[in-house]
Amino acid sequence: MTFIPLEPGSPPGPSPERRDAARNRERLLGAARELIEQCGADALTMDRLAEAAGVGKGTVFRRFGSRAGLMMTLLSDAEADFQARFMFGPPPLGPGAPGLDRLVAFGAARIAFVLEYGELARAADVSARNRFEVPAVVLWHRHIEFLLREEGMDSDPWLMAMFLGAALEPDRLLHTVRVRTVSPDRLAESWRELVTRVVRGG
Amino acid sequence: MTFIPLEPGSPPGPSPERRDAARNRERLLGAARELIEQCGADALTMDRLAEAAGVGKGTVFRRFGSRAGLMMTLLSDAEADFQARFMFGPPPLGPGAPGLDRLVAFGAARIAFVLEYGELARAADVSARNRFEVPAVVLWHRHIEFLLREEGMDSDPWLMAMFLGAALEPDRLLHTVRVRTVSPDRLAESWRELVTRVVRGG
């Protein structure tokens, strides 16, 4: 996964060639995001991306290695952006609001994120064996734990965070929305009810 | 899945040949359970089962079709037994105790069940696409919803039951116990804390 740097700009500036490569990378990723928006992640192939970006197929493969590599890059960028929002962004998702408000906002943001990128996550084919140890998952699990502690929960907040995090699992949220036709707003409202009861019911 | 019959004994009694077949089936299943207990579900092959039960390999295949079929049969029997316990068994898991006590007991029983049969569930390879629609899962999701309603939760108890049920997902529980070395007692205690807060925090 790509993580947001702790000190932006601290490494020495990139060379012009590096800047060119970065621009090309961004152009390809932009085209990929557009394709996904229009046709869904399943329709994103290396061929189509090459065509859409006006480059050779070889360029796309050299840059991302494989379709799975491309999916992981897209997802990593999206996860890094999501992380930046809940760790450093404006309240109530970011710091500055009470713990419970941040928990409520986190669930709503996560639900929106999964509905936007869930197909991508599935296509990137994170195996069941490691899905609980993916760095992004570990990080937002810690985030829920941190907010529970802030709200005074001292009885095993780590495990409680894991239980609450289970409710936000991509596969489950996607199934609930797509197969059971539950609206994202109704999901977010139930999450609000869940974390409010957990924080206040102690 | 095999379900517990609604009216035991209502169909006409089986013929002697049927009883023989049923006895053979039970003998094979008993041998399979013993093998799993000794060596784990991964070690249970059709060859080993035939050897342990003292029958030809063809008999085992005729009875269960495939290794996956055998796993599903073992799991179905275990699920049916678990269902009988929470629907008709003695309180606090079965009827007769307050809703919250039954919720607490349900989580503890489910955690114990998953730790006993989880390997089997994984080996039966229920695909990610249908894992939320497995009849046994739908049934105990409904059971949690029923108990939440009994405790007076009127705001979307179906969705709340889904969120709570997510905490008891086999893969997650197995990972927490085996990889994160959390004890089953600690899991059950956190479940108790979770459902107590959800019921009382309204």
Side-chain angles (χ1 to χ4, degrees):
Chain A
M1 308 288 297
T2 305
F3 283 99
I4 38 170
L6 289 178
E7 296 172 71
S10 54
S15 65
E17 297 79 41
R18 283 283 180 97
R19 276 202 301 271
D20 264 7
R23 258 199 301 272
N24 285 335
R25 181 180 178 280
E26 266 321 301
R27 200 159 58 90
L28 282 170
L29 289 176
R33 280 188 210 101
E34 247 176 63
L35 273 172
I36 288 175
E37 216 162 285
Q38 284 163 17
C39 319
D42 286 346
L44 178 63
T45 63
M46 302 297 257
D47 277 326
R48 271 199 204 144
L49 176 56
E51 201 188 311
V55 300
K57 198 173 158 184
T59 306
V60 180
F61 272 97
R62 264 195 306 283
R63 181 69 58 192
F64 302 107
S66 65
R67 181 168 180 273
L70 168 65
M71 295 295 187
M72 282 310 293
T73 305
L74 286 166
L75 193 62
S76 294
D77 285 5
E79 282 282 5
D81 176 64
F82 181 71
Q83 286 164 19
R85 286 170 58 216
F86 72 71
M87 296 198 323
F88 312 115
L93 185 56
L100 178 55
D101 294 354
R102 292 188 69 191
L103 272 172
V104 170
F106 179 82
R110 189 69 200 171
I111 288 164
F113 177 88
V114 166
L115 293 177
E116 191 173 350
Y117 291 101
E119 207 61 59
L120 204 60
R122 192 178 280 166
D125 191 30
V126 173
S127 82
R129 200 169 285 272
N130 70 15
R131 72 188 167 105
F132 304 116
E133 303 290 347
V134 172
V137 172
V138 172
L139 182 67
W140 61 261
H141 176 178
R142 286 278 172 201
H143 181 65
I144 296 177
E145 180 189 350
F146 165 80
L147 295 176
L148 288 174
R149 282 184 195 277
E150 204 171 77
E151 285 289 352
M153 175 172 293
D154 45 14
S155 56
D156 219 337
W158 180 84
L159 208 43
M160 187 63 76
M162 190 205 62
F163 282 163
L164 294 178
L168 299 176
E169 198 211 10
D171 236 21
R172 184 174 297 269
L173 292 178
L174 288 171
H175 180 267
T176 308
V177 169
R178 292 179 187 172
V179 181
R180 307 306 300 253
T181 64
V182 168
S183 75
D185 282 352
R186 191 176 148 202
L187 270 178
E189 172 55 26
S190 265
W191 168 265
R192 192 196 59 71
E193 180 88 28
L194 173 65
V195 292
T196 304
R197 284 172 178 253
V198 163
V199 164
R200 298 223 175 116
Chain B
M1 308 288 294
T2 305
F3 283 101
I4 38 172
L6 289 178
E7 298 171 70
S10 54
S15 65
E17 297 80 43
R18 284 280 180 98
R19 278 203 300 273
D20 263 8
R23 257 199 302 271
N24 284 336
R25 181 180 178 279
E26 266 320 301
R27 201 159 56 91
L28 282 170
L29 289 176
R33 282 189 208 99
E34 244 176 65
L35 272 172
I36 289 175
E37 214 161 287
Q38 284 163 17
C39 320
D42 286 346
L44 178 63
T45 62
M46 301 298 255
D47 277 327
R48 267 197 208 150
L49 176 55
E51 200 188 310
V55 300
K57 197 173 160 183
T59 306
V60 180
F61 272 97
R62 264 194 307 283
R63 183 67 60 192
F64 301 108
S66 65
R67 181 168 179 271
L70 168 64
M71 296 294 188
M72 282 311 291
T73 305
L74 286 165
L75 193 63
S76 294
D77 285 6
E79 283 281 5
D81 176 65
F82 181 71
Q83 285 164 21
R85 285 169 58 214
F86 73 71
M87 296 200 320
F88 312 116
L93 184 56
L100 178 55
D101 294 354
R102 292 188 68 192
L103 272 172
V104 170
F106 180 82
R110 190 69 200 172
I111 288 163
F113 178 88
V114 165
L115 293 177
E116 192 173 350
Y117 291 101
E119 208 59 58
L120 204 58
R122 191 179 279 167
D125 191 29
V126 173
S127 83
R129 199 168 286 274
N130 69 15
R131 73 189 166 103
F132 305 116
E133 302 291 346
V134 171
V137 172
V138 172
L139 182 67
W140 60 260
H141 176 178
R142 286 277 171 203
H143 180 66
I144 295 177
E145 179 189 353
F146 165 82
L147 295 176
L148 289 174
R149 282 184 196 276
E150 205 172 76
E151 286 289 351
M153 176 172 293
D154 45 14
S155 56
D156 219 339
W158 180 84
L159 208 43
M160 187 63 75
M162 191 205 62
F163 282 163
L164 294 179
L168 299 177
E169 198 209 13
D171 236 23
R172 185 174 297 271
L173 292 178
L174 287 171
H175 180 267
T176 308
V177 169
R178 292 180 186 169
V179 181
R180 308 305 301 251
T181 62
V182 169
S183 75
D185 283 352
R186 191 177 149 201
L187 270 178
E189 171 56 25
S190 264
W191 168 265
R192 192 197 60 71
E193 181 88 28
L194 173 65
V195 292
T196 302
R197 283 172 178 253
V198 164
V199 165
R200 299 224 174 115

